Amino acid sequence: RRRGSILTRSSALGERIIQDANAAFAIPGSVTFQLGEGGLPKCVLTHKNGSRAEVYLFGANCVSWVLPSGDDVLFLRPDAVWDRSKPIAGGIPLCFPRFGPSAEMQQHGFARNLDWSVISSSADPNPDEPEPSVMLSLKDNEYTRQIWPCAFQATYEVTLRREKLRLELCVLNPEQDKKGRGNDTAIEFTAALHTYVEVVDASDTTKVFVKGLEGKKFVDKTKDVSNVQPGVSTGDLSFGDAVGLVDRVYFETEPETLLHVGTGAAVAIENTAGWTDTVVWNPHTTLPGDDKNVW
């Protein structure tokens, strides 16, 4: 009975957020706001070519990018939950202000388990092929300052293009004002777009592999996390039983890395200035549950 009451209040709050967001930011045929799984508010971007993306305000997670063919580029884990008790497992979780384990806070930081606010939307002034986008915002508050004593203003923009999904994270370090709000020094943080990409069969080394990391230095976190030693990548990176768990960080990578997904197509991961590292992770059979075969 108590849980039902909580869910009712949560759903009512979600409906109010949806109403306000649609009134301020909806663009007919391009940008709409709806209730998603678990009654969580989400933004739906629709391109004229039939592609679609869904961005949840909880965690600013883009959980789906569907191509005109109906294929979803992104993957949602079978153990994903939608009740705010934990970050959404799958899609593109946004890791900030920490990527990976941290002594200060939970793994991958707090941004992926907080509600972000909508601050703008657009559909490009070109009427022939509008590119719908939504911009979300997260600022420091009492909760974040208890974990990470820094002021910050983060924006995250998701833009759906004809054949691309563009994601841009910007973090502003606000200068301290006369009332002591803001920072008087630089802030240090790490961040990542922890993208889950759908593949046909990760164990098929002839069809599913990563290309574009040849000759790059990397650390293999499966070997010795406390004393990681860099190696140099040779050839394409594949997965499966012969490889097992893959958890690598590649340094100073090229602007584009290709993940061949097993259909003959490849997903291009493009890093812009400031994002010079590429992480490749495949859990193989290391995750709990009965769905190990999905990896």
Side-chain angles (χ1 to χ4, degrees), residues 117-122 133-137 155-158 168:
S117 301
V118 184
I119 59 173
S120 71
S121 65
S122 71
S133 70
V134 63
M135 181 176 287
L136 308 180
S137 173
T155 60
Y156 186 55
E157 185 175 25
V158 180
E168 182 177 9

Side-chain angles (χ1 to χ4, degrees), residues 5-21 33-36 38-42 57-58 84 115-116:
S5 177
I6 293 173
L7 289 176
T8 300
R9 289 198 299 270
S10 176
S11 179
L13 176 61
E15 289 179 357
R16 177 61 184 271
I17 292 173
I18 291 303
Q19 291 174 1
D20 292 346
F33 297 86
Q34 305 171 10
L35 287 181
L40 297 177
K42 67 179 180 181
L57 305 193
F58 178 67
R84 287 191 173 91
D115 289 309
W116 291 57

Side-chain angles (χ1 to χ4, degrees), residues 25-70:
F25 304 110
I27 301 174
S30 296
V31 182
T32 60
F33 297 86
Q34 305 171 10
L35 287 181
E37 297 287 344
L40 297 177
K42 67 179 180 181
C43 175
V44 179
L45 305 176
T46 304
H47 196 280
K48 189 176 181 179
N49 71 351
S51 62
R52 186 179 73 255
E54 297 184 2
V55 186
Y56 277 71
L57 305 193
F58 178 67
N61 191 333
C62 181
V63 303
S64 177
W65 172 25
V66 178
L67 302 179
S69 63

Side-chain angles (χ1 to χ4, degrees), residues 145-200:
R145 289 190 293 270
Q146 290 177 353
I147 302 172
W148 190 49
C150 297
F152 69 90
Q153 297 174 13
T155 60
Y156 186 55
E157 185 175 25
V158 180
T159 304
L160 182 62
R161 294 181 172 176
R162 170 167 282 276
E163 295 181 345
K164 291 184 179 182
L165 184 70
R166 183 178 184 271
L167 311 167
E168 182 177 9
L169 171 67
C170 295
V171 180
L172 173 67
N173 177 10
E175 185 176 355
Q176 192 173 75
D177 60 21
K178 294 181 179 179
K179 295 184 178 181
R181 295 172 299 194
N183 306 308
D184 58 1
T185 61
I187 59 175
E188 295 184 3
F189 64 89
T190 54
L193 304 180
H194 196 315
T195 311
Y196 289 74
V197 178
E198 179 90 38
V199 300
V200 175

Side-chain angles (χ1 to χ4, degrees), residues 197-202 204-212 236-237 239 257-268:
V197 178
E198 179 90 38
V199 300
V200 175
D201 182 0
D204 188 341
T205 60
T206 65
K207 294 182 179 180
V208 177
F209 55 90
V210 179
K211 194 173 188 64
D236 301 332
L237 175 63
F239 311 100
T257 302
L258 296 176
L259 171 59
H260 290 259
V261 299
T263 62
V267 176

